[in-house]
Amino acid sequence: MKKALYILGELEDRDLVWLNAAGRVETLTDGAWLIRAGQEVRQLYFIVDGDFDVVLPKTGQVVARLSLGDVTGEMSFVEKRLPSASVRASGPAQVLAVPREAILARFEEDTAFAARFWHALAIFLSDRLRTATGGGSESDARELDDGLLDTLHVAGDRFTRLLDLLAGRTR
């Protein structure tokens, strides 16, 4: 869930309401492909239940595991390039799928949302790169970023509210 906190710590409550309204929950079965290497990704996915494996297409090697609170499809969202790896459900799972075009249209309507969103995505991608490359000291890898600590309680509450919204409950 740490990854969700990076994103939700930067967004506002009204942004969550919009993501919920613009997206749809997709349910996947064990082994179902969410993203396939070399195929266009038209959505940004927020994992709300289950686990996913990031798989290299030629070798089938699992290079990462994604779970509750992770985001996937973000690289294609940023670069508009086809993905170089596939993402497969490892057991039953659910994602909130938000269409890329809807997000881009929202950027045009609400530049403050765009700024919050891009900042959140930059923080998320920075953390992912540091984790993947072993950047920082060993103790840094286990600790939360100081900027995240400042918004941790707010981000955790927002994540709970997003899950409630997706389940049709309101708080």
Side-chain angles (χ1 to χ4, degrees):
M1 184 167 104
K2 176 182 163 185
K3 303 296 184 193
L5 300 181
Y6 283 115
I7 302 269
L8 298 177
E10 298 299 317
L11 298 180
E12 295 180 352
D13 289 348
R14 63 189 170 115
D15 301 333
L16 297 184
V17 171
W18 181 84
L19 286 169
N20 179 57
R24 72 179 191 286
V25 174
E26 293 182 7
T27 301
L28 294 99
T29 58
D30 184 24
W33 294 101
L34 180 65
I35 294 174
R36 289 190 181 262
Q39 293 183 8
E40 184 179 19
V41 178
R42 294 184 176 158
Q43 283 148 143
L44 189 61
Y45 298 102
F46 296 84
I47 299 173
V48 295
D49 189 34
D51 296 310
F52 291 83
D53 293 326
V54 179
V55 181
L56 296 180
K58 291 184 181 179
T59 64
Q61 178 185 6
V62 175
V63 293
R65 169 82 36 116
L66 305 175
S67 60
L68 179 68
D70 273 317
V71 176
T72 191
E74 78 289 346
M75 291 174 66
S76 293
F77 182 86
V78 171
E79 300 178 308
K80 296 184 192 176
R81 291 173 52 188
L82 299 177
S84 58
S86 298
V87 179
R88 177 183 62 212
S90 176
Q94 288 188 319
V95 297
L96 173 64
V98 184
R100 181 179 203 285
E101 293 306 316
I103 297 170
L104 294 176
R106 179 72 175 181
F107 289 170
E108 294 294 320
E109 297 168 8
D110 185 348
T111 56
F113 170 74
R116 289 187 302 273
F117 186 90
W118 284 118
H119 186 241
L121 201 54
I123 292 169
F124 173 81
L125 290 170
S126 175
D127 179 73
R128 182 173 280 171
L129 182 60
R130 285 183 193 277
T131 300
T133 62
S137 69
E138 197 172 305
S139 64
D140 288 346
R142 290 189 308 264
E143 294 180 12
L144 293 174
D145 172 79
D146 285 342
L148 177 60
L149 287 174
D150 293 340
T151 60
L152 182 63
H153 68 285
V154 173
D157 190 48
R158 282 191 185 128
F159 189 72
T160 302
R161 282 195 303 259
L162 178 60
L163 292 177
D164 285 347
L165 281 170
L166 294 173
R169 299 180 301 262
T170 56
R171 280 187 343 126

